[in-house]
């Protein structure tokens, strides 16, 4: 029964849910995660979000936060400390752990650190699309142009290689 119907039938004031709906909690979780002052507090907040009873919504909020934060830290020396701190809070959550691992791979490729061609060619479609959009490594782009998982990844990587001097 809607609020107006409840008032008309004499049921009193509007019925309020015991807790906010998932889309409100999702937004509140994102705001809380974004406001974390340091890696330790951020890891604690990630763990708190993952205790939300709506597992899918909670993991979605955490992965959205990981994507935003990792993109900002991709060229930052603090990335490893951040990934280590947040990674401990993700234990047992396959999708967020996989996303953090892929961000770590992208960071390695982006910073010229050791990385595995097998790992990049076997990465998710999301990771490969992100790689061709962000990375400037000739080796990584050549690999994705030849062995990307999708036609879109292979084409975009090949196009970026053609424009290589402007990278």
């Amino acid at each position: 029964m809607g609020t107006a119907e409840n008032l008309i039938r004499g049921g009193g004031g509007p019925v309020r849910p015991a807790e906010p709906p998932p889309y409100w909690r999702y937004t509140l979780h994102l705001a809380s995660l974004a406001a974390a002052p340091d890696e330790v507090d951020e890891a604690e907040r990630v763990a708190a979000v993952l205790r939300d009873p709506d597992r899918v919504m909670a993991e979605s909020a955490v992965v959205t936060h990981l994507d935003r934060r990792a993109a900002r830290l991709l060229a930052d020396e603090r990335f490893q400390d951040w990934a280590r701190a947040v990674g401990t809070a993700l234990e047992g959550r396959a999708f967020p752990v996989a996303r953090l691992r892929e961000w770590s791979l992208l960071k390695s490729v982006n910073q010229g650190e050791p990385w595995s061609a097998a790992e990049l060619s076997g990465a998710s479609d999301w990771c490969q699309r992100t790689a061709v959009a962000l990375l400037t490594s000739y080796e990584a782009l050549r690999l994705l142009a030849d062995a990307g998982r999708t036609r879109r990844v292979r084409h975009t990587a090949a196009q970026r290689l053609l424009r290589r001097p402007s990278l």
Side-chain angles (χ1 to χ4, degrees):
M1 177 175 351
T3 303
E5 294 164 334
N6 196 19
L7 291 172
I8 292 170
R9 294 186 182 182
V15 176
R16 300 204 187 274
E19 64 179 52
Y23 56 89
W24 287 357
R25 290 196 327 270
Y26 176 85
T27 302
L28 292 172
H29 289 325
L30 286 177
S32 171
L33 292 167
D38 57 42
E39 288 88 5
V40 173
D41 187 61
E42 185 174 358
E44 291 171 1
R45 291 177 189 215
V46 165
V49 169
L50 290 173
R51 287 192 294 271
D52 189 287
D54 186 339
R55 183 181 178 107
V56 173
M57 181 276 301
E59 288 186 8
S60 178
V62 167
V63 168
T64 298
H65 173 71
L66 290 177
D67 289 347
R68 291 174 179 175
R69 185 88 157 99
R72 286 193 315 268
L73 290 174
L74 200 57
D76 194 312
E77 60 193 32
R78 296 174 299 163
F79 183 94
Q80 294 300 0
D81 292 335
W82 169 78
R84 203 173 3 267
V86 171
T88 59
L90 301 178
E91 290 180 16
R93 303 294 183 120
F95 182 60
V97 166
R99 182 58 64 92
L100 183 60
R101 187 178 329 110
E102 288 184 331
W103 273 113
S104 295
L105 171 64
L106 293 173
K107 189 234 184 270
S108 294
V109 174
N110 195 47
Q111 297 299 308
E113 298 167 0
W115 56 279
S116 160
E119 191 175 8
L120 184 58
S121 63
S124 71
D125 293 350
W126 170 87
C127 182
Q128 290 188 359
R129 282 193 313 271
T130 303
V132 296
L134 297 178
L135 301 180
T136 58
S137 164
Y138 175 81
E139 185 181 358
L141 290 172
R142 177 85 267 148
L143 173 72
L144 292 172
D146 294 339
R149 291 169 54 104
T150 65
R151 186 177 351 178
R152 176 180 173 187
V153 166
R154 292 188 302 272
H155 175 75
T156 305
Q159 292 301 307
R160 295 233 20 237
L161 286 168
L162 290 174
R163 295 187 311 260
R164 175 92 171 111
S166 65
L167 289 178

